[in-house]
Structures are given as C-alpha cells and as structure tokens.
Amino acid sequence: REDMFFINSSFPVTSAVLQPGILFRISVEPSVLEDREGGGYIEIDLDSTKRKETDLRYKQLHGYVIELIRSCIRKQDSDLFDQYSRCYLILGHLCKYFRKPNNPVSSMNASQKYTDEVVRIIWENYDKQITLQDIADRLYITNSHLSRVLKKNLGKNYREYINDVRLHYAVWELENSDKTILRIANDNGFSGLAIFNKSFKEAYGISPMEYRK
C-alpha cells in the first residue's frame, strides 16, 4: 500500500497486483535528468518497502505524488502547467534525496553497454526491417536518448550505421554472387531498389551496376 519505486532505464521489470488498488506510473526520459544534472548517467535508488518509519524523505515525496495524481484526475486544461511543475518538483526531490553517488566509470559503461548491444543487434538483423524504436524498446530506453548515445559513441546515427553494415554485405554479394541487384537489395535489408541505389552511390560514388562492371 502506497509503495513507491523508481525503475532505472535498461532494467526490465514486471509488476503484479496482489489485491485491488491503483497503479500510477510516471515515465521520465533519461535525458531529462541527465541534461539537467550535467549530462552523466543518473541512477535513482527508491524503494519505499525498505524505508524506515522515521525517514521523512518518503513522506514528503508521497505528498508530492498524491497532489500530482489529484491534478491529473481533474483533467482540466488549466491544470497542465500545474502537473508539469509537480513533475519537476518530484524529479528534484528524487535527485536531491535518492540519487546514487556519481560514478564516472559506471556512466561510461552504461553508455557503451547500449552501444555494444545496438551494434550486436544490427549485425545480427541487418537484413530485416528493424528500426531504432524496435531496439530502444528491447533496451527499455527512449528512442531519442538511444539516438544521442549512438551519435556520441559511433560518430553517426542509427540509419547511417545500419546502412554501412547492409552495404558491407551488399558489396560482397555484388563481387561474389550472380544475384540480381534487386535481390541483393532485398536480401540485405533495403526496402527498395531506389533506396539501395541512392545509399550505394552516396557511399561509393557510383551505382551498384557500375560497381559490378
């Protein structure tokens, strides 16, 4: 009853309700906290089931959450800014009282962990129509946050990287198979011949047909 938990990004979680009640969830994009707190990875340690009765941090946070719920239930347009302000109040309280100590190494590890996993998934699924959103959902992270991580660590965005991998395999098939160019495009994840030709020419300066000659 009245329990509160903070689930950090990349941690899969399931929930079960053992008795009738209300589940209220606030989802926060990681960058909202990270950009405001200096750009590093932030981990919040909040589990009210472990609280002590004398710990006022939870009581105060509980009050903020209740007021936010009441504002949401009213569903009035005039309450929108009130809800925003209460959300930031809650985030400020979490960062002030429940944030784990900074660890630069864990911050870099978290960023690299996401990048390594994306790279692995791309190389295993380059021939399929897999989107950045698909991968973000697997990693329990937002699309926009994952995009920034990839750009920072790989020096290119998701579309550019997956196209590089697809072209890598397409070039091998152009040199070592008698498949048609349309078949090569389809077998390597390109959604059409026109997109394949455009991507290939941007990368190599000539068309797939000219390359094969």
Side-chain angles (χ1 to χ4, degrees), residues 167 170 174 181 184-185 190 192-200 208:
L167 288 171
L174 284 170
I181 291 178
I184 290 175
F190 291 96
L193 184 57
I195 293 177
F196 175 52
N197 285 333
K198 180 182 178 182
S199 299
F200 197 96

Side-chain angles (χ1 to χ4, degrees), residues 78-101:
S78 59
D79 288 329
L80 187 59
F81 287 109
D82 177 66
Q83 292 162 17
Y84 285 153
S85 65
R86 293 187 186 281
C87 283
Y88 276 103
L89 188 63
I90 290 172
L91 292 178
H93 190 81
L94 288 171
C95 288
K96 184 175 182 179
Y97 295 110
F98 296 96
R99 178 179 177 177
K100 285 190 174 181

Side-chain angles (χ1 to χ4, degrees), residues 20 39 41 60 97 112 114-115 123 129 138 170 176 190-192 196-198 208 212:
Y41 178 73
Q60 189 173 6
Y97 295 110
Q112 191 59 49
Y114 289 137
T115 304
W123 281 87
Q129 294 302 310
R138 289 194 198 185
N176 298 282
F190 291 96
S191 57
F196 175 52
N197 285 333
K198 180 182 178 182
R212 176 169 259 179

Side-chain angles (χ1 to χ4, degrees), residues 68-81:
L68 175 60
I69 293 174
R70 288 173 178 166
S71 179
C72 292
I73 291 175
R74 286 195 296 266
K75 294 183 179 179
Q76 297 178 7
D77 292 340
S78 59
D79 288 329
L80 187 59
F81 287 109

Side-chain angles (χ1 to χ4, degrees), residues 124-177:
E124 291 179 357
N125 299 276
Y126 69 92
D127 55 338
K128 303 179 181 65
Q129 294 302 310
I130 185 168
T131 66
L132 180 63
Q133 186 63 59
D134 295 330
I135 299 178
D137 290 342
R138 289 194 198 185
L139 301 179
Y140 302 92
I141 186 175
T142 63
N143 182 314
S144 57
H145 181 67
L146 184 56
S147 179
R148 284 192 292 272
V149 168
L150 295 180
K151 186 69 174 178
K152 178 180 178 181
N153 290 345
L154 297 177
K156 56 186 67 178
N157 61 36
Y158 172 79
R159 180 55 53 191
E160 292 169 338
Y161 186 81
I162 195 171
N163 274 351
D164 284 351
V165 175
R166 287 168 173 167
L167 288 171
H168 167 82
Y169 284 99
V171 165
W172 188 92
E173 292 194 347
L174 284 170
E175 295 175 347
N176 298 282
S177 79

